[in-house]
Amino acid sequence: KTLLESPDDYDWWFCGHSAGGAHSVLSSYFFAKKFPKRKIKTFTFASPRIGNINFLKSFNKIKNIEHWRVSYKNDLFTAVPIVGYKHAGTSIRLYPNKIYIGDYNPLFTFSLIKCHSFFDHHPSFYTKELKKYLKTF
């Protein structure tokens, strides 16, 4: 009801960390499909994979959704579930004093070989690195 009563030029933002990020992707996906004339933006942090290849293809076909997926260093939770699940959206990978935006190697970047740290999942690492990056603007 709130979305329908809002002005047409509003952008709707969804965001979340970890499971909240996964919920944000699913919610924004369903809203974008149901309201194709609304602009939907999703920002996730430390989100696990949430859908199979069919979900990814469907997500990528939606024109009114934009998803930025932020991960930090070797965060284990960005590599699970392992089999049959895919990441959607544009990847922003944070490291101390480095940031990678865009494509990644799907067989390595978010694998258990690379992502093996429980400690890197804490929101404080995400905010610390994002603050450093945002100060450059």
Side-chain angles (χ1 to χ4, degrees), residues 47-82:
S47 180
R49 297 178 180 119
I50 61 155
N52 63 15
I53 190 68
N54 294 325
F55 173 79
L56 179 61
K57 287 177 182 177
S58 179
F59 186 94
N60 289 338
K61 286 180 186 176
I62 299 173
K63 301 296 182 205
N64 63 321
I65 192 169
E66 183 179 334
H67 175 208
W68 294 90
R69 183 175 41 79
V70 181
S71 60
Y72 176 75
K73 217 165 127 182
N74 300 319
D75 185 346
L76 172 69
F77 294 91
T78 63
V80 295
I82 300 166

PDB file of all heavy atoms in Angstrom, residues 47-82:
ATOM      1  N   SER A  47      26.012 -10.925   2.116  1.00  0.00           N
ATOM      2  CA  SER A  47      24.876 -11.780   1.778  1.00  0.00           C
ATOM      3  C   SER A  47      25.339 -13.130   1.230  1.00  0.00           C
ATOM      4  O   SER A  47      26.256 -13.197   0.419  1.00  0.00           O
ATOM      5  CB  SER A  47      23.999 -11.087   0.737  1.00  0.00           C
ATOM      6  OG  SER A  47      22.904 -11.909   0.406  1.00  0.00           O
ATOM      7  N   PRO A  48      24.676 -14.199   1.655  1.00  0.00           N
ATOM      8  CA  PRO A  48      24.944 -15.497   1.031  1.00  0.00           C
ATOM      9  C   PRO A  48      24.293 -15.551  -0.351  1.00  0.00           C
ATOM     10  O   PRO A  48      23.535 -14.659  -0.725  1.00  0.00           O
ATOM     11  CB  PRO A  48      24.255 -16.476   1.991  1.00  0.00           C
ATOM     12  CG  PRO A  48      23.142 -15.677   2.588  1.00  0.00           C
ATOM     13  CD  PRO A  48      23.665 -14.272   2.694  1.00  0.00           C
ATOM     14  N   ARG A  49      24.608 -16.585  -1.086  1.00  0.00           N
ATOM     15  CA  ARG A  49      23.921 -16.822  -2.362  1.00  0.00           C
ATOM     16  C   ARG A  49      22.475 -17.202  -2.032  1.00  0.00           C
ATOM     17  O   ARG A  49      22.215 -17.870  -1.039  1.00  0.00           O
ATOM     18  CB  ARG A  49      24.593 -17.968  -3.109  1.00  0.00           C
ATOM     19  CG  ARG A  49      26.018 -17.681  -3.483  1.00  0.00           C
ATOM     20  CD  ARG A  49      26.598 -18.910  -4.182  1.00  0.00           C
ATOM     21  NE  ARG A  49      27.974 -18.669  -4.550  1.00  0.00           N
ATOM     22  CZ  ARG A  49      29.002 -19.373  -4.111  1.00  0.00           C
ATOM     23  NH1 ARG A  49      28.808 -20.381  -3.285  1.00  0.00           N
ATOM     24  NH2 ARG A  49      30.214 -19.094  -4.509  1.00  0.00           N
ATOM     25  N   ILE A  50      21.544 -16.809  -2.900  1.00  0.00           N
ATOM     26  CA  ILE A  50      20.147 -17.096  -2.540  1.00  0.00           C
ATOM     27  C   ILE A  50      19.337 -17.818  -3.605  1.00  0.00           C
ATOM     28  O   ILE A  50      18.219 -18.220  -3.336  1.00  0.00           O
ATOM     29  CB  ILE A  50      19.397 -15.808  -2.162  1.00  0.00           C
ATOM     30  CG1 ILE A  50      19.375 -14.857  -3.324  1.00  0.00           C
ATOM     31  CG2 ILE A  50      19.974 -15.172  -0.939  1.00  0.00           C
ATOM     32  CD1 ILE A  50      18.228 -13.919  -3.248  1.00  0.00           C
ATOM     33  N   GLY A  51      19.844 -17.959  -4.813  1.00  0.00           N
ATOM     34  CA  GLY A  51      19.028 -18.598  -5.844  1.00  0.00           C
ATOM     35  C   GLY A  51      19.856 -19.422  -6.802  1.00  0.00           C
ATOM     36  O   GLY A  51      21.077 -19.277  -6.880  1.00  0.00           O
ATOM     37  N   ASN A  52      19.165 -20.254  -7.569  1.00  0.00           N
ATOM     38  CA  ASN A  52      19.849 -21.069  -8.566  1.00  0.00           C
ATOM     39  C   ASN A  52      20.006 -20.276  -9.869  1.00  0.00           C
ATOM     40  O   ASN A  52      19.678 -19.097  -9.936  1.00  0.00           O
ATOM     41  CB  ASN A  52      19.103 -22.392  -8.783  1.00  0.00           C
ATOM     42  CG  ASN A  52      17.706 -22.179  -9.345  1.00  0.00           C
ATOM     43  OD1 ASN A  52      17.360 -21.099  -9.828  1.00  0.00           O
ATOM     44  ND2 ASN A  52      16.886 -23.219  -9.274  1.00  0.00           N
ATOM     45  N   ILE A  53      20.482 -20.936 -10.911  1.00  0.00           N
ATOM     46  CA  ILE A  53      20.731 -20.262 -12.191  1.00  0.00           C
ATOM     47  C   ILE A  53      19.446 -19.697 -12.783  1.00  0.00           C
ATOM     48  O   ILE A  53      19.462 -18.631 -13.403  1.00  0.00           O
ATOM     49  CB  ILE A  53      21.453 -21.210 -13.192  1.00  0.00           C
ATOM     50  CG1 ILE A  53      21.940 -20.442 -14.421  1.00  0.00           C
ATOM     51  CG2 ILE A  53      20.570 -22.377 -13.589  1.00  0.00           C
ATOM     52  CD1 ILE A  53      23.055 -19.474 -14.165  1.00  0.00           C
ATOM     53  N   ASN A  54      18.325 -20.359 -12.567  1.00  0.00           N
ATOM     54  CA  ASN A  54      17.047 -19.857 -13.086  1.00  0.00           C
ATOM     55  C   ASN A  54      16.644 -18.562 -12.387  1.00  0.00           C
ATOM     56  O   ASN A  54      16.138 -17.635 -13.015  1.00  0.00           O
ATOM     57  CB  ASN A  54      15.951 -20.915 -12.950  1.00  0.00           C
ATOM     58  CG  ASN A  54      16.224 -22.106 -13.834  1.00  0.00           C
ATOM     59  OD1 ASN A  54      16.748 -21.979 -14.934  1.00  0.00           O
ATOM     60  ND2 ASN A  54      15.908 -23.291 -13.336  1.00  0.00           N
ATOM     61  N   PHE A  55      16.857 -18.494 -11.068  1.00  0.00           N
ATOM     62  CA  PHE A  55      16.588 -17.255 -10.345  1.00  0.00           C
ATOM     63  C   PHE A  55      17.489 -16.139 -10.864  1.00  0.00           C
ATOM     64  O   PHE A  55      17.031 -15.023 -11.095  1.00  0.00           O
ATOM     65  CB  PHE A  55      16.799 -17.438  -8.839  1.00  0.00           C
ATOM     66  CG  PHE A  55      16.687 -16.146  -8.074  1.00  0.00           C
ATOM     67  CD1 PHE A  55      15.442 -15.621  -7.773  1.00  0.00           C
ATOM     68  CD2 PHE A  55      17.819 -15.438  -7.701  1.00  0.00           C
ATOM     69  CE1 PHE A  55      15.327 -14.412  -7.081  1.00  0.00           C
ATOM     70  CE2 PHE A  55      17.727 -14.235  -7.017  1.00  0.00           C
ATOM     71  CZ  PHE A  55      16.472 -13.722  -6.712  1.00  0.00           C
ATOM     72  N   LEU A  56      18.767 -16.432 -11.048  1.00  0.00           N
ATOM     73  CA  LEU A  56      19.710 -15.428 -11.538  1.00  0.00           C
ATOM     74  C   LEU A  56      19.287 -14.894 -12.907  1.00  0.00           C
ATOM     75  O   LEU A  56      19.281 -13.682 -13.131  1.00  0.00           O
ATOM     76  CB  LEU A  56      21.118 -16.015 -11.610  1.00  0.00           C
ATOM     77  CG  LEU A  56      22.213 -15.092 -12.128  1.00  0.00           C
ATOM     78  CD1 LEU A  56      22.382 -13.876 -11.242  1.00  0.00           C
ATOM     79  CD2 LEU A  56      23.524 -15.855 -12.252  1.00  0.00           C
ATOM     80  N   LYS A  57      18.905 -15.770 -13.801  1.00  0.00           N
ATOM     81  CA  LYS A  57      18.457 -15.334 -15.135  1.00  0.00           C
ATOM     82  C   LYS A  57      17.206 -14.464 -15.034  1.00  0.00           C
ATOM     83  O   LYS A  57      17.101 -13.441 -15.708  1.00  0.00           O
ATOM     84  CB  LYS A  57      18.185 -16.547 -16.027  1.00  0.00           C
ATOM     85  CG  LYS A  57      19.447 -17.248 -16.481  1.00  0.00           C
ATOM     86  CD  LYS A  57      19.112 -18.482 -17.308  1.00  0.00           C
ATOM     87  CE  LYS A  57      20.356 -19.224 -17.728  1.00  0.00           C
ATOM     88  NZ  LYS A  57      20.043 -20.459 -18.474  1.00  0.00           N
ATOM     89  N   SER A  58      16.271 -14.865 -14.203  1.00  0.00           N
ATOM     90  CA  SER A  58      15.052 -14.089 -14.018  1.00  0.00           C
ATOM     91  C   SER A  58      15.364 -12.729 -13.406  1.00  0.00           C
ATOM     92  O   SER A  58      14.846 -11.700 -13.843  1.00  0.00           O
ATOM     93  CB  SER A  58      14.068 -14.864 -13.136  1.00  0.00           C
ATOM     94  OG  SER A  58      12.903 -14.119 -12.925  1.00  0.00           O
ATOM     95  N   PHE A  59      16.229 -12.708 -12.393  1.00  0.00           N
ATOM     96  CA  PHE A  59      16.625 -11.465 -11.737  1.00  0.00           C
ATOM     97  C   PHE A  59      17.263 -10.516 -12.752  1.00  0.00           C
ATOM     98  O   PHE A  59      16.950  -9.327 -12.790  1.00  0.00           O
ATOM     99  CB  PHE A  59      17.612 -11.776 -10.605  1.00  0.00           C
ATOM    100  CG  PHE A  59      17.970 -10.597  -9.763  1.00  0.00           C
ATOM    101  CD1 PHE A  59      17.285 -10.327  -8.595  1.00  0.00           C
ATOM    102  CD2 PHE A  59      19.005  -9.751 -10.126  1.00  0.00           C
ATOM    103  CE1 PHE A  59      17.621  -9.235  -7.801  1.00  0.00           C
ATOM    104  CE2 PHE A  59      19.346  -8.658  -9.350  1.00  0.00           C
ATOM    105  CZ  PHE A  59      18.650  -8.385  -8.191  1.00  0.00           C
ATOM    106  N   ASN A  60      18.153 -11.044 -13.578  1.00  0.00           N
ATOM    107  CA  ASN A  60      18.875 -10.212 -14.547  1.00  0.00           C
ATOM    108  C   ASN A  60      17.990  -9.665 -15.661  1.00  0.00           C
ATOM    109  O   ASN A  60      18.348  -8.676 -16.303  1.00  0.00           O
ATOM    110  CB  ASN A  60      20.053 -10.982 -15.142  1.00  0.00           C
ATOM    111  CG  ASN A  60      21.170 -11.176 -14.139  1.00  0.00           C
ATOM    112  OD1 ASN A  60      21.291 -10.444 -13.166  1.00  0.00           O
ATOM    113  ND2 ASN A  60      21.992 -12.190 -14.370  1.00  0.00           N
ATOM    114  N   LYS A  61      16.851 -10.270 -15.894  1.00  0.00           N
ATOM    115  CA  LYS A  61      15.925  -9.788 -16.929  1.00  0.00           C
ATOM    116  C   LYS A  61      15.105  -8.580 -16.472  1.00  0.00           C
ATOM    117  O   LYS A  61      14.556  -7.862 -17.285  1.00  0.00           O
ATOM    118  CB  LYS A  61      14.963 -10.908 -17.344  1.00  0.00           C
ATOM    119  CG  LYS A  61      15.593 -11.965 -18.201  1.00  0.00           C
ATOM    120  CD  LYS A  61      14.569 -13.026 -18.562  1.00  0.00           C
ATOM    121  CE  LYS A  61      15.217 -14.175 -19.296  1.00  0.00           C
ATOM    122  NZ  LYS A  61      14.241 -15.258 -19.556  1.00  0.00           N
ATOM    123  N   ILE A  62      15.024  -8.390 -15.175  1.00  0.00           N
ATOM    124  CA  ILE A  62      14.195  -7.306 -14.631  1.00  0.00           C
ATOM    125  C   ILE A  62      14.923  -5.980 -14.840  1.00  0.00           C
ATOM    126  O   ILE A  62      16.052  -5.803 -14.404  1.00  0.00           O
ATOM    127  CB  ILE A  62      13.883  -7.537 -13.149  1.00  0.00           C
ATOM    128  CG1 ILE A  62      13.110  -8.848 -12.985  1.00  0.00           C
ATOM    129  CG2 ILE A  62      13.083  -6.373 -12.586  1.00  0.00           C
ATOM    130  CD1 ILE A  62      12.907  -9.253 -11.543  1.00  0.00           C
ATOM    131  N   LYS A  63      14.281  -5.061 -15.512  1.00  0.00           N
ATOM    132  CA  LYS A  63      14.920  -3.793 -15.894  1.00  0.00           C
ATOM    133  C   LYS A  63      14.852  -2.713 -14.820  1.00  0.00           C
ATOM    134  O   LYS A  63      15.623  -1.769 -14.846  1.00  0.00           O
ATOM    135  CB  LYS A  63      14.282  -3.254 -17.182  1.00  0.00           C
ATOM    136  CG  LYS A  63      14.384  -4.211 -18.351  1.00  0.00           C
ATOM    137  CD  LYS A  63      15.821  -4.441 -18.730  1.00  0.00           C
ATOM    138  CE  LYS A  63      15.907  -5.367 -19.920  1.00  0.00           C
ATOM    139  NZ  LYS A  63      17.146  -6.085 -19.993  1.00  0.00           N
ATOM    140  N   ASN A  64      13.951  -2.835 -13.868  1.00  0.00           N
ATOM    141  CA  ASN A  64      13.764  -1.765 -12.885  1.00  0.00           C
ATOM    142  C   ASN A  64      14.417  -2.066 -11.533  1.00  0.00           C
ATOM    143  O   ASN A  64      14.091  -1.452 -10.533  1.00  0.00           O
ATOM    144  CB  ASN A  64      12.277  -1.472 -12.681  1.00  0.00           C
ATOM    145  CG  ASN A  64      11.514  -2.653 -12.123  1.00  0.00           C
ATOM    146  OD1 ASN A  64      11.767  -3.792 -12.499  1.00  0.00           O
ATOM    147  ND2 ASN A  64      10.572  -2.389 -11.239  1.00  0.00           N
ATOM    148  N   ILE A  65      15.373  -2.999 -11.534  1.00  0.00           N
ATOM    149  CA  ILE A  65      16.055  -3.334 -10.283  1.00  0.00           C
ATOM    150  C   ILE A  65      17.569  -3.166 -10.450  1.00  0.00           C
ATOM    151  O   ILE A  65      18.125  -3.482 -11.499  1.00  0.00           O
ATOM    152  CB  ILE A  65      15.710  -4.765  -9.819  1.00  0.00           C
ATOM    153  CG1 ILE A  65      16.167  -5.000  -8.383  1.00  0.00           C
ATOM    154  CG2 ILE A  65      16.289  -5.808 -10.737  1.00  0.00           C
ATOM    155  CD1 ILE A  65      15.625  -6.282  -7.772  1.00  0.00           C
ATOM    156  N   GLU A  66      18.184  -2.636  -9.412  1.00  0.00           N
ATOM    157  CA  GLU A  66      19.635  -2.446  -9.378  1.00  0.00           C
ATOM    158  C   GLU A  66      20.121  -3.033  -8.053  1.00  0.00           C
ATOM    159  O   GLU A  66      19.583  -2.702  -6.997  1.00  0.00           O
ATOM    160  CB  GLU A  66      19.933  -0.952  -9.445  1.00  0.00           C
ATOM    161  CG  GLU A  66      21.369  -0.582  -9.500  1.00  0.00           C
ATOM    162  CD  GLU A  66      21.537   0.938  -9.582  1.00  0.00           C
ATOM    163  OE1 GLU A  66      20.623   1.642 -10.073  1.00  0.00           O
ATOM    164  OE2 GLU A  66      22.585   1.410  -9.132  1.00  0.00           O
ATOM    165  N   HIS A  67      21.108  -3.918  -8.122  1.00  0.00           N
ATOM    166  CA  HIS A  67      21.591  -4.575  -6.910  1.00  0.00           C
ATOM    167  C   HIS A  67      23.103  -4.433  -6.800  1.00  0.00           C
ATOM    168  O   HIS A  67      23.838  -4.826  -7.685  1.00  0.00           O
ATOM    169  CB  HIS A  67      21.208  -6.055  -6.920  1.00  0.00           C
ATOM    170  CG  HIS A  67      21.758  -6.827  -5.762  1.00  0.00           C
ATOM    171  ND1 HIS A  67      22.018  -8.158  -5.840  1.00  0.00           N
ATOM    172  CD2 HIS A  67      22.092  -6.465  -4.508  1.00  0.00           C
ATOM    173  CE1 HIS A  67      22.496  -8.589  -4.681  1.00  0.00           C
ATOM    174  NE2 HIS A  67      22.554  -7.575  -3.863  1.00  0.00           N
ATOM    175  N   TRP A  68      23.546  -3.865  -5.684  1.00  0.00           N
ATOM    176  CA  TRP A  68      24.969  -3.746  -5.356  1.00  0.00           C
ATOM    177  C   TRP A  68      25.228  -4.660  -4.170  1.00  0.00           C
ATOM    178  O   TRP A  68      24.656  -4.497  -3.108  1.00  0.00           O
ATOM    179  CB  TRP A  68      25.326  -2.299  -5.024  1.00  0.00           C
ATOM    180  CG  TRP A  68      25.172  -1.425  -6.216  1.00  0.00           C
ATOM    181  CD1 TRP A  68      24.051  -0.754  -6.605  1.00  0.00           C
ATOM    182  CD2 TRP A  68      26.147  -1.151  -7.210  1.00  0.00           C
ATOM    183  NE1 TRP A  68      24.279  -0.068  -7.766  1.00  0.00           N
ATOM    184  CE2 TRP A  68      25.574  -0.298  -8.164  1.00  0.00           C
ATOM    185  CE3 TRP A  68      27.478  -1.539  -7.389  1.00  0.00           C
ATOM    186  CZ2 TRP A  68      26.254   0.167  -9.273  1.00  0.00           C
ATOM    187  CZ3 TRP A  68      28.170  -1.067  -8.492  1.00  0.00           C
ATOM    188  CH2 TRP A  68      27.551  -0.228  -9.409  1.00  0.00           C
ATOM    189  N   ARG A  69      26.107  -5.634  -4.372  1.00  0.00           N
ATOM    190  CA  ARG A  69      26.388  -6.664  -3.358  1.00  0.00           C
ATOM    191  C   ARG A  69      27.796  -6.458  -2.810  1.00  0.00           C
ATOM    192  O   ARG A  69      28.785  -6.625  -3.518  1.00  0.00           O
ATOM    193  CB  ARG A  69      26.261  -8.046  -3.992  1.00  0.00           C
ATOM    194  CG  ARG A  69      26.452  -9.191  -3.066  1.00  0.00           C
ATOM    195  CD  ARG A  69      26.191 -10.503  -3.776  1.00  0.00           C
ATOM    196  NE  ARG A  69      26.721 -10.562  -5.116  1.00  0.00           N
ATOM    197  CZ  ARG A  69      27.997 -10.793  -5.416  1.00  0.00           C
ATOM    198  NH1 ARG A  69      28.869 -10.954  -4.464  1.00  0.00           N
ATOM    199  NH2 ARG A  69      28.387 -10.846  -6.671  1.00  0.00           N
ATOM    200  N   VAL A  70      27.894  -6.082  -1.542  1.00  0.00           N
ATOM    201  CA  VAL A  70      29.173  -5.763  -0.918  1.00  0.00           C
ATOM    202  C   VAL A  70      29.644  -6.949  -0.082  1.00  0.00           C
ATOM    203  O   VAL A  70      28.884  -7.502   0.717  1.00  0.00           O
ATOM    204  CB  VAL A  70      29.051  -4.500  -0.024  1.00  0.00           C
ATOM    205  CG1 VAL A  70      30.397  -4.154   0.600  1.00  0.00           C
ATOM    206  CG2 VAL A  70      28.496  -3.325  -0.831  1.00  0.00           C
ATOM    207  N   SER A  71      30.907  -7.310  -0.280  1.00  0.00           N
ATOM    208  CA  SER A  71      31.521  -8.362   0.529  1.00  0.00           C
ATOM    209  C   SER A  71      32.852  -7.854   1.068  1.00  0.00           C
ATOM    210  O   SER A  71      33.438  -6.931   0.510  1.00  0.00           O
ATOM    211  CB  SER A  71      31.731  -9.634  -0.301  1.00  0.00           C
ATOM    212  OG  SER A  71      32.570  -9.364  -1.406  1.00  0.00           O
ATOM    213  N   TYR A  72      33.294  -8.448   2.167  1.00  0.00           N
ATOM    214  CA  TYR A  72      34.549  -8.028   2.785  1.00  0.00           C
ATOM    215  C   TYR A  72      35.536  -9.186   2.843  1.00  0.00           C
ATOM    216  O   TYR A  72      35.214 -10.252   3.377  1.00  0.00           O
ATOM    217  CB  TYR A  72      34.316  -7.484   4.196  1.00  0.00           C
ATOM    218  CG  TYR A  72      35.599  -7.127   4.909  1.00  0.00           C
ATOM    219  CD1 TYR A  72      36.297  -5.977   4.576  1.00  0.00           C
ATOM    220  CD2 TYR A  72      36.131  -7.963   5.872  1.00  0.00           C
ATOM    221  CE1 TYR A  72      37.489  -5.659   5.198  1.00  0.00           C
ATOM    222  CE2 TYR A  72      37.319  -7.643   6.508  1.00  0.00           C
ATOM    223  CZ  TYR A  72      37.995  -6.502   6.159  1.00  0.00           C
ATOM    224  OH  TYR A  72      39.184  -6.193   6.766  1.00  0.00           O
ATOM    225  N   LYS A  73      36.687  -8.975   2.267  1.00  0.00           N
ATOM    226  CA  LYS A  73      37.837  -9.857   2.361  1.00  0.00           C
ATOM    227  C   LYS A  73      37.454 -11.323   2.197  1.00  0.00           C
ATOM    228  O   LYS A  73      37.004 -11.719   1.134  1.00  0.00           O
ATOM    229  CB  LYS A  73      38.566  -9.583   3.674  1.00  0.00           C
ATOM    230  CG  LYS A  73      40.054  -9.680   3.601  1.00  0.00           C
ATOM    231  CD  LYS A  73      40.679  -9.050   4.818  1.00  0.00           C
ATOM    232  CE  LYS A  73      41.624  -9.969   5.501  1.00  0.00           C
ATOM    233  NZ  LYS A  73      42.194  -9.404   6.700  1.00  0.00           N
ATOM    234  N   ASN A  74      37.635 -12.142   3.225  1.00  0.00           N
ATOM    235  CA  ASN A  74      37.416 -13.589   3.133  1.00  0.00           C
ATOM    236  C   ASN A  74      36.174 -14.048   3.897  1.00  0.00           C
ATOM    237  O   ASN A  74      36.162 -15.116   4.500  1.00  0.00           O
ATOM    238  CB  ASN A  74      38.657 -14.328   3.656  1.00  0.00           C
ATOM    239  CG  ASN A  74      39.888 -13.987   2.856  1.00  0.00           C
ATOM    240  OD1 ASN A  74      39.846 -13.885   1.647  1.00  0.00           O
ATOM    241  ND2 ASN A  74      40.999 -13.775   3.538  1.00  0.00           N
ATOM    242  N   ASP A  75      35.127 -13.247   3.866  1.00  0.00           N
ATOM    243  CA  ASP A  75      33.887 -13.536   4.585  1.00  0.00           C
ATOM    244  C   ASP A  75      33.289 -14.871   4.131  1.00  0.00           C
ATOM    245  O   ASP A  75      32.862 -15.020   2.986  1.00  0.00           O
ATOM    246  CB  ASP A  75      32.893 -12.396   4.356  1.00  0.00           C
ATOM    247  CG  ASP A  75      31.614 -12.543   5.154  1.00  0.00           C
ATOM    248  OD1 ASP A  75      31.345 -13.628   5.693  1.00  0.00           O
ATOM    249  OD2 ASP A  75      30.877 -11.545   5.236  1.00  0.00           O
ATOM    250  N   LEU A  76      33.268 -15.831   5.035  1.00  0.00           N
ATOM    251  CA  LEU A  76      32.770 -17.170   4.750  1.00  0.00           C
ATOM    252  C   LEU A  76      31.326 -17.174   4.261  1.00  0.00           C
ATOM    253  O   LEU A  76      30.958 -17.933   3.365  1.00  0.00           O
ATOM    254  CB  LEU A  76      32.889 -18.039   6.014  1.00  0.00           C
ATOM    255  CG  LEU A  76      32.246 -19.418   5.965  1.00  0.00           C
ATOM    256  CD1 LEU A  76      33.017 -20.311   4.999  1.00  0.00           C
ATOM    257  CD2 LEU A  76      32.211 -20.038   7.340  1.00  0.00           C
ATOM    258  N   PHE A  77      30.503 -16.330   4.824  1.00  0.00           N
ATOM    259  CA  PHE A  77      29.073 -16.363   4.526  1.00  0.00           C
ATOM    260  C   PHE A  77      28.746 -15.938   3.092  1.00  0.00           C
ATOM    261  O   PHE A  77      27.663 -16.223   2.610  1.00  0.00           O
ATOM    262  CB  PHE A  77      28.305 -15.520   5.547  1.00  0.00           C
ATOM    263  CG  PHE A  77      28.376 -16.115   6.917  1.00  0.00           C
ATOM    264  CD1 PHE A  77      29.394 -15.749   7.786  1.00  0.00           C
ATOM    265  CD2 PHE A  77      27.456 -17.062   7.327  1.00  0.00           C
ATOM    266  CE1 PHE A  77      29.479 -16.313   9.047  1.00  0.00           C
ATOM    267  CE2 PHE A  77      27.538 -17.634   8.589  1.00  0.00           C
ATOM    268  CZ  PHE A  77      28.562 -17.263   9.449  1.00  0.00           C
ATOM    269  N   THR A  78      29.679 -15.287   2.412  1.00  0.00           N
ATOM    270  CA  THR A  78      29.454 -14.921   1.010  1.00  0.00           C
ATOM    271  C   THR A  78      29.690 -16.103   0.069  1.00  0.00           C
ATOM    272  O   THR A  78      29.392 -16.010  -1.118  1.00  0.00           O
ATOM    273  CB  THR A  78      30.355 -13.745   0.592  1.00  0.00           C
ATOM    274  OG1 THR A  78      31.723 -14.134   0.688  1.00  0.00           O
ATOM    275  CG2 THR A  78      30.094 -12.526   1.453  1.00  0.00           C
ATOM    276  N   ALA A  79      30.199 -17.214   0.603  1.00  0.00           N
ATOM    277  CA  ALA A  79      30.505 -18.394  -0.216  1.00  0.00           C
ATOM    278  C   ALA A  79      29.481 -19.519  -0.045  1.00  0.00           C
ATOM    279  O   ALA A  79      29.648 -20.584  -0.639  1.00  0.00           O
ATOM    280  CB  ALA A  79      31.894 -18.922   0.136  1.00  0.00           C
ATOM    281  N   VAL A  80      28.462 -19.298   0.742  1.00  0.00           N
ATOM    282  CA  VAL A  80      27.488 -20.360   0.979  1.00  0.00           C
ATOM    283  C   VAL A  80      26.094 -19.928   0.534  1.00  0.00           C
ATOM    284  O   VAL A  80      25.841 -18.728   0.446  1.00  0.00           O
ATOM    285  CB  VAL A  80      27.453 -20.766   2.485  1.00  0.00           C
ATOM    286  CG1 VAL A  80      28.769 -21.380   2.887  1.00  0.00           C
ATOM    287  CG2 VAL A  80      27.113 -19.582   3.379  1.00  0.00           C
ATOM    288  N   PRO A  81      25.181 -20.860   0.280  1.00  0.00           N
ATOM    289  CA  PRO A  81      25.415 -22.287   0.063  1.00  0.00           C
ATOM    290  C   PRO A  81      26.320 -22.521  -1.140  1.00  0.00           C
ATOM    291  O   PRO A  81      26.391 -21.693  -2.046  1.00  0.00           O
ATOM    292  CB  PRO A  81      24.037 -22.872  -0.167  1.00  0.00           C
ATOM    293  CG  PRO A  81      23.058 -21.767  -0.085  1.00  0.00           C
ATOM    294  CD  PRO A  81      23.794 -20.490   0.097  1.00  0.00           C
ATOM    295  N   ILE A  82      26.975 -23.650  -1.151  1.00  0.00           N
ATOM    296  CA  ILE A  82      28.026 -23.899  -2.127  1.00  0.00           C
ATOM    297  C   ILE A  82      27.484 -24.388  -3.463  1.00  0.00           C
ATOM    298  O   ILE A  82      27.777 -23.826  -4.504  1.00  0.00           O
ATOM    299  CB  ILE A  82      29.031 -24.924  -1.560  1.00  0.00           C
ATOM    300  CG1 ILE A  82      29.657 -24.383  -0.282  1.00  0.00           C
ATOM    301  CG2 ILE A  82      30.100 -25.263  -2.581  1.00  0.00           C
ATOM    302  CD1 ILE A  82      30.401 -25.408   0.531  1.00  0.00           C
TER     303      ILE A  82
END
